[in-house]
Amino acid sequence: MPSALSSPLLLQPPITAPTLNLSPLLPLRTLATRRRIATRPFSPFAVPIRATVAIEKETPENERPETFLRSSDDVLSSSSSSSPLSVRARFEKMIRETQDEVCAAIEVADGGGSFKEDVWSRPGGGGGISRVLQDGAVWEKAGVNVSVVYGVMPPEAYRAAKGDVGGNSGAKAGPVPFFAAGISSVLHPKNPFAPTLHFNYRYFETDAPKDAPGAPRQWWFGGGTDLTPAYIFEEDVKHFHTVQKQACDKFDPSFYPRFKKWCDDYFFIKHRGERRGLGGIFFDDLNDYDQEMLLGFSTECSKSVIRAYMPIIERRKDTPFTEEHKAWQQLRRGRYVEFNLVYDRGTTFGLKTGGRIESILVSLPLTARWEYDHVIFSTDPFFFFFFGY
């Protein structure tokens, strides 16, 4: 974790405006030479965008149902007869409660904005609730979505869900019936000194593939919470990571170092050679612990989001800033867009299974910026931290 940081990430920052008091912020190591990051050609074929429609088209609903689960899923637990509700049912309950709590906290911080809500369902079961607050006083765009989805994955979507880029490890020959439930949120504040937050927690099950009847059902949990600032303050970074560690330590002291590294490795923009932000925790395909324990862990992480993030927003949302600070934030958001569209597994999975496009792309900021041949100076304190030179 870096020490105190006040300059922006990766690219050359604008001159700090005199209205902002940066005296509490400490300097970082700098380098003496000027470096240019090589421009790499972008291929439109790097991102497959044609969806294989494997789940039914959504239908708009006027009211939120009590549950999106099929009736056969919400009574008995698949793992323990002593549990009154299935893991599917309890996970859905948890993500819907978390959505309500996070949305309420966001509206309070905004002081006037309110969420637009879309409820949707599918004829064969499943559905979701998408909520977006846009152009508020504090939030440029805040999206908090929950979904419960049944469908059949083509083999390439199964590989995307499992992160099997090469197509060999764990791939199945035929279409794979699946169940997925999750909460996903990206919060983009207006103020350049207030960081973007992403969190996502999900539960996934696959049934036997159609060409392999009798194969065992597989299940796994995934998720994480990560912070992406344009300007970094030491107290914010320490607070955020402390909350992540506390949530992990309640279940296993090895979780935080393991999932922090996983987060750093996952949110890496390969074609830029840059990290997307300052990390947090990330885990996926997690099924090597007791199912009840992992359900509890996912619940604890979800409930920690407000405690980890909202104190930072309260500290930074009214910080004075200039147009130059805003332009820098837009450049950093361009990097955010690049990662989500090129590398993010959730985005890839949604596009390949014919998911609801508005919900899939709600993570993108309202505005972003790209400058041709922008040069990174090695005297930028973030150059050392993010490139490791």
Side-chain angles (χ1 to χ4, degrees):
M1 186 183 300
S3 58
L5 308 171
S6 58
S7 301
L9 303 170
L10 302 178
L11 308 181
Q12 176 63 16
I15 301 300
T16 304
T19 55
L20 181 66
N21 179 14
L22 297 181
S23 56
L25 306 174
L26 308 176
L28 249 189
R29 170 179 173 181
T30 60
L31 302 179
T33 57
R34 179 180 185 272
R35 298 176 185 262
R36 178 185 295 270
I37 300 303
T39 305
R40 302 187 186 185
F42 174 76
S43 167
F45 302 105
V47 188
I49 59 174
R50 186 180 62 180
T52 304
V53 180
I55 51 182
E56 297 171 297
K57 194 67 181 170
E58 66 273 358
T59 303
E61 299 288 348
N62 294 324
E63 295 182 356
R64 292 175 234 152
E66 185 177 341
T67 179
F68 289 106
L69 294 174
R70 292 171 178 167
S71 56
S72 57
D73 283 342
D74 62 357
V75 182
L76 295 177
S77 168
S78 58
S79 61
S80 170
S81 58
S82 63
S83 183
L85 292 175
S86 67
V87 171
R88 293 183 179 189
R90 283 179 287 152
F91 195 86
E92 184 201 21
K93 180 175 183 293
M94 182 274 286
I95 60 178
R96 290 183 64 171
E97 288 175 352
T98 301
Q99 183 186 42
D100 289 342
E101 292 163 5
V102 171
C103 288
I106 289 170
E107 289 183 346
V108 168
D110 194 81
S114 58
F115 279 89
K116 168 183 166 53
E117 177 179 283
D118 290 325
V119 181
W120 49 275
S121 67
R122 292 197 168 96
I129 303 169
S130 299
R131 293 179 186 166
V132 178
L133 190 159
Q134 197 163 279
D135 276 329
V138 170
W139 309 101
E140 181 179 282
K141 186 179 181 185
V144 189
N145 298 338
V146 296
S147 61
V148 174
V149 178
Y150 298 84
V152 177
M153 285 186 286
E156 63 270 20
Y158 181 83
R159 291 192 291 270
K162 295 287 287 180
D164 179 20
V165 214
N168 296 318
S169 169
K172 299 193 177 186
V176 181
F178 74 91
F179 166 87
I183 180 167
S184 182
S185 175
V186 178
L187 310 175
H188 294 291
K190 286 186 171 180
N191 195 303
F193 296 102
T196 288
L197 182 86
H198 161 258
F199 74 92
N200 173 289
Y201 291 96
R202 56 196 175 274
Y203 175 67
F204 210 97
E205 287 183 7
T206 59
D207 291 323
K210 289 190 172 179
D211 59 352
R217 170 181 289 183
Q218 298 186 39
W219 59 264
W220 64 89
F221 290 85
T225 305
D226 61 279
L227 197 68
T228 304
Y231 291 83
I232 308 174
F233 297 85
E234 182 183 25
E235 62 178 325
D236 296 350
V237 178
K238 284 184 175 178
H239 169 78
F240 178 78
H241 278 273
T242 296
V243 175
Q244 307 313 308
K245 186 177 186 304
Q246 288 170 346
C248 291
D249 287 352
K250 289 183 180 180
F251 294 84
D252 190 317
S254 71
F255 277 4
Y256 176 72
R258 176 184 169 192
F259 298 156
K260 180 185 181 300
K261 182 182 185 305
W262 201 339
C263 185
D264 291 339
D265 293 342
Y266 178 76
F267 292 105
F268 184 75
I269 309 171
K270 298 181 182 69
H271 62 273
R272 296 281 189 183
E274 301 172 7
R275 292 175 182 154
R276 189 180 79 173
L278 281 188
I281 58 170
F282 176 84
F283 58 93
D284 211 353
D285 306 331
L286 204 60
N287 61 4
D288 50 351
Y289 296 84
D290 177 74
Q291 193 177 38
E292 292 295 324
M293 183 264 221
L294 292 178
L295 176 61
F297 175 59
S298 299
T299 301
E300 178 66 27
C301 292
S302 298
K303 300 297 185 182
S304 299
V305 167
I306 295 173
R307 188 166 76 253
Y309 184 56
M310 297 314 294
I312 299 174
I313 290 299
E314 292 301 325
R315 278 198 294 267
R316 308 299 169 198
K317 66 180 183 178
D318 297 319
T319 303
F321 64 89
T322 68
E323 290 183 7
E324 292 159 315
H325 293 131
K326 191 67 180 175
W328 172 256
Q329 180 195 52
Q330 301 306 293
L331 285 168
R332 292 308 311 150
R333 285 187 174 165
R335 298 295 207 260
Y336 204 95
V337 171
E338 289 176 29
F339 177 87
N340 279 28
L341 293 183
V342 179
Y343 301 113
D344 185 71
R345 283 167 60 175
T347 303
T348 304
F349 173 77
L351 294 174
K352 285 183 175 180
T353 55
R356 186 175 185 268
I357 296 300
E358 289 300 320
S359 299
I360 296 168
L361 300 182
V362 77
S363 65
L364 302 183
L366 194 59
T367 58
R369 177 186 179 103
W370 285 264
E371 289 185 9
Y372 178 74
D373 199 25
H374 191 97
V375 174
I376 301 174
F377 290 90
S378 60
T379 50
D380 177 357
F382 287 86
F383 189 91
F384 174 75
F385 177 73
F386 281 87
F387 290 94
Y389 298 161

